[in-house]
């Protein structure tokens, strides 16, 4: 079968707040071929992502992403790999290309799984999918008291792992951060996994990060996530050698396989976190997962939006039994919740299971999404090159 159409949908909450929450808007991608359709989601700003698909050619290595996608064959996994290679060759200098490709690639795997009547993880070569322990991913409270209450509620909801991130952390004093870390641990109890996400706030400031290591060790933080900017390899290496030792996690900012490979090799990480909606889709994410297994580094998904994105992000390491932790968004905006009609709920053991249905196993909720559609047109010299398609 051949790819007949690729449609992008710009969705948004009525009001987008200035907070670290990427679930307030979304870019959904629908790919149609052979009477079937697959769905994907980009973790990116909607408008530039759509523009990268339709923009005029700037030069031979800066073509619109659609140049390498529309009309292409789609019959087996090799076709998806070939499309990804062509996008990289033809859109090398279009820096938004991998973000745009991410949603397309996910949708291609979803569509191919439906054609072949197989879950995506099997198309990736895994014989079995192992359930994962979800960590309730959420923002720190504005105060230690709020952080404690959020931790208490998450622990009471049955989560064995919780990650707190962003908010006020790293922006105030060492003592203020320590109060939040202790509040989180107190609210969770001694036995739960506690992860801390700094949200790159320290840039490359190793000294500020080292000042927090003692408290993070005292609260038994399972990892310290993204203390520095993506690809700040020197800073990560220095902190990895700091005392007391706290395991480092990063990688969600990687928007290509090459960046993730460098983080695996040179950042001193114990956890590599990949977002299929950023790195170029499921295809490069699977390469990273394979590399991580060889290097003895744990692979973890990054997901803070919908259950469509959650299913996509679990597929690349679904068959890796030793990597048991997964990010599970617990505070998404209603838009993210409304993207799919079905949800990946926790099983009786409090774990998340990868869907066994064909493709990603998720049903996009078209009727509900219509109220979130941002009507958009892109014109170039008076010619309409993009108009919001019909859901």
């Amino acid at each position: 079968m051949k790819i007949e159409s690729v449609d992008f949908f710009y969705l948004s909450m009525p009001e987008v707040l200035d907070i670290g929450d990427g679930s307030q808007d979304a870019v959904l991608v629908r790919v149609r071929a052979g009477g079937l359709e697959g769905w994907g989601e980009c973790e990116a700003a909607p408008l530039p992502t759509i523009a990268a698909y339709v923009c005029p050619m700037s030069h031979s290595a800066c073509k619109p992403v659609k140049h390498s996608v529309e009309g292409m064959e789609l019959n087996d996994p090799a076709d998806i790999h070939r499309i990804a290679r062509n996008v990289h060759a033809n859109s090398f200098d279009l820096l938004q290309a991998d973000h745009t490709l991410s949603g397309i690639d996910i949708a291609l795997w979803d569509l191919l799984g439906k054609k072949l009547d197989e879950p995506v993880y099997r198309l990736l070569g895994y014989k079995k999918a192992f359930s994962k322990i979800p960590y309730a991913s959420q923002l720190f409270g504005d105060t230690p008291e709020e952080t404690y209450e959020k931790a208490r509620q998450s622990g009471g909801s049955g989560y064995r792992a919780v990650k707190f991130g962003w908010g006020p952390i790293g922006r105030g004093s060492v003592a203020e951060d320590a109060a939040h870390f202790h509040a989180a641990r107190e609210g969770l109890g001694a036995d739960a996994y506690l992860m801390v996400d700094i949200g790159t706030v320290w840039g490359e400031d190793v000294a500020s990060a080292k000042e927090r290591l003692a408290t993070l060790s005292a609260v038994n933080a399972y990892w310290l996530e993204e203390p520095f900017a993506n690809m700040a390899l020197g800073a990560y290496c220095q902190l990895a050698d700091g005392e007391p030792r706290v395991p480092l996690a990063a990688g969600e900012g990687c928007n290509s396989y090459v960046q993730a490979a460098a983080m695996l090799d040179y950042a001193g990480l114990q956890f590599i976190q990949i977002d299929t909606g950023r790195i170029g889709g499921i295809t490069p994410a699977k390469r990273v997962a394979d590399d991580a297994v060889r290097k003895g580094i744990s692979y973890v998904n990054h997901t803070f939006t919908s259950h469509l994105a959650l299913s996509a992000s679990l597929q690349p390491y679904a068959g890796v039994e030793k990597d048991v932790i997964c990010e599970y968004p617990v505070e998404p905006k209603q838009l993210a919740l409304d993207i799919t009609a079905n949800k990946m709920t926790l099983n009786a053991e409090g774990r998340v299971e990868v869907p066994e249905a064909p493709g990603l196993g998720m049903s996009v909720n078209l009727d509900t999404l219509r109220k979130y559609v941002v009507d958009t047109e892109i014109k170039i010299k008076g010619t309409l090159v993009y108009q919001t398609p019909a859901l």
Side-chain angles (χ1 to χ4, degrees):
M1 61 183 178
K2 290 188 177 182
I3 296 173
E4 299 157 4
S5 64
V6 180
D7 296 318
F8 284 77
F9 298 91
Y10 179 174
L11 310 175
S12 179
M13 292 289 291
E15 180 183 11
V16 175
L17 305 175
D18 188 7
I19 57 175
D21 184 349
S23 69
Q24 301 181 87
D25 61 14
V27 189
L28 285 191
V29 182
R30 180 181 64 198
V31 178
R32 286 175 167 165
L36 301 170
E37 61 183 34
W39 289 88
E41 182 178 347
C42 304
E43 174 58 37
L47 194 54
T49 302
I50 296 169
Y53 190 73
V54 299
C55 66
M57 178 178 66
S58 178
H59 55 79
S60 60
C62 196
K63 297 183 177 77
V65 174
K66 71 176 183 178
H67 177 87
S68 305
V69 180
E70 294 182 4
M72 297 297 107
E73 293 284 342
L74 180 62
N75 296 298
D76 57 42
D79 291 327
I80 299 179
H81 287 270
R82 183 173 60 256
I83 289 169
R85 289 194 300 271
N86 288 342
V87 169
H88 292 147
N90 293 320
S91 305
F92 180 83
D93 279 346
L94 184 59
L95 298 187
Q96 192 69 19
D98 280 302
H99 264 156
T100 301
L101 175 60
S102 296
I104 298 170
D105 183 272
I106 292 167
L108 291 175
W109 284 106
D110 185 38
L111 196 159
L112 186 61
K114 292 171 181 175
K115 171 182 170 59
L116 301 178
D117 197 30
E118 292 280 7
V120 169
Y121 75 82
R122 288 199 192 126
L123 300 183
L124 296 174
Y126 295 124
K127 294 182 180 179
K128 177 181 178 181
F130 295 94
S131 62
K132 308 297 182 183
I133 299 173
Y135 63 84
S137 183
Q138 56 198 286
L139 303 177
F140 275 102
D142 292 333
T143 66
E145 291 76 19
E146 288 182 18
T147 295
Y148 167 82
E149 185 58 29
K150 294 177 76 170
R152 188 188 64 79
Q153 290 177 2
S154 294
S157 298
Y159 288 99
R160 297 158 54 191
V162 177
K163 185 185 82 174
F164 286 100
W166 296 57
I169 301 303
R171 304 178 184 279
S173 68
V174 174
E176 289 169 334
D177 287 354
H180 278 276
F181 300 157
H182 282 291
R185 172 52 72 194
E186 184 180 354
L188 283 177
D191 296 331
Y193 296 94
L194 170 61
M195 297 84 153
V196 173
D197 181 359
I198 302 301
T200 74
V201 73
W202 291 319
E204 298 179 53
D205 182 359
V206 178
S208 291
K210 285 185 173 180
E211 289 178 328
R212 275 77 172 178
L213 289 180
T215 303
L216 289 166
S217 178
V219 301
N220 194 25
Y222 190 61
W223 72 51
L224 173 61
E225 178 176 336
E226 291 212 311
F228 309 121
N230 185 53
M231 297 298 293
L233 302 177
Y236 274 104
C237 277
Q238 291 181 56
L239 187 59
D241 291 334
E243 293 292 344
R245 294 292 178 91
V246 175
L248 300 183
E252 70 179 70
C254 294
N255 54 31
S256 70
Y257 165 78
V258 174
Q259 288 189 4
M263 294 290 281
L264 283 172
D265 287 339
Y266 304 116
L269 303 180
Q270 292 190 33
F271 300 90
I272 184 77
Q273 300 165 298
I274 298 300
D275 195 318
T276 56
R278 292 180 180 175
I279 198 171
I282 291 171
T283 304
K286 177 58 164 58
R287 289 186 67 189
V288 178
D290 291 344
D291 288 353
V293 168
R294 288 192 293 269
K295 297 173 186 296
I297 296 171
S298 294
Y299 184 102
V300 184
N301 67 303
H302 173 265
T303 311
F304 205 76
T305 56
S306 74
H307 284 244
L308 178 68
L310 178 60
S311 178
S313 72
L314 294 181
Q315 306 293 333
Y317 76 120
V320 183
E321 186 174 9
K322 73 174 184 64
D323 294 345
V324 299
I325 297 292
C326 79
E327 182 167 30
Y328 188 87
V330 295
E331 292 183 330
K333 292 294 184 286
Q334 193 62 43
L335 162 60
L337 291 173
D338 285 344
I339 285 176
T340 58
N342 55 333
K343 305 291 186 289
M344 297 173 62
T345 56
L346 277 58
N347 66 17
E349 289 75 41
R351 288 176 171 252
V352 172
E353 296 180 355
V354 178
E356 291 292 338
L360 296 176
M362 306 307 295
S363 176
V364 173
N365 199 352
L366 300 181
D367 290 336
T368 303
L369 290 182
R370 288 189 174 91
K371 64 183 178 183
Y372 298 109
V373 172
V374 178
D375 191 25
T376 304
E377 291 184 352
I378 300 176
K379 288 184 177 180
I380 300 173
K381 296 181 178 180
T383 300
L384 185 68
V385 297
Y386 170 83
Q387 184 175 36
T388 301
L391 270 173

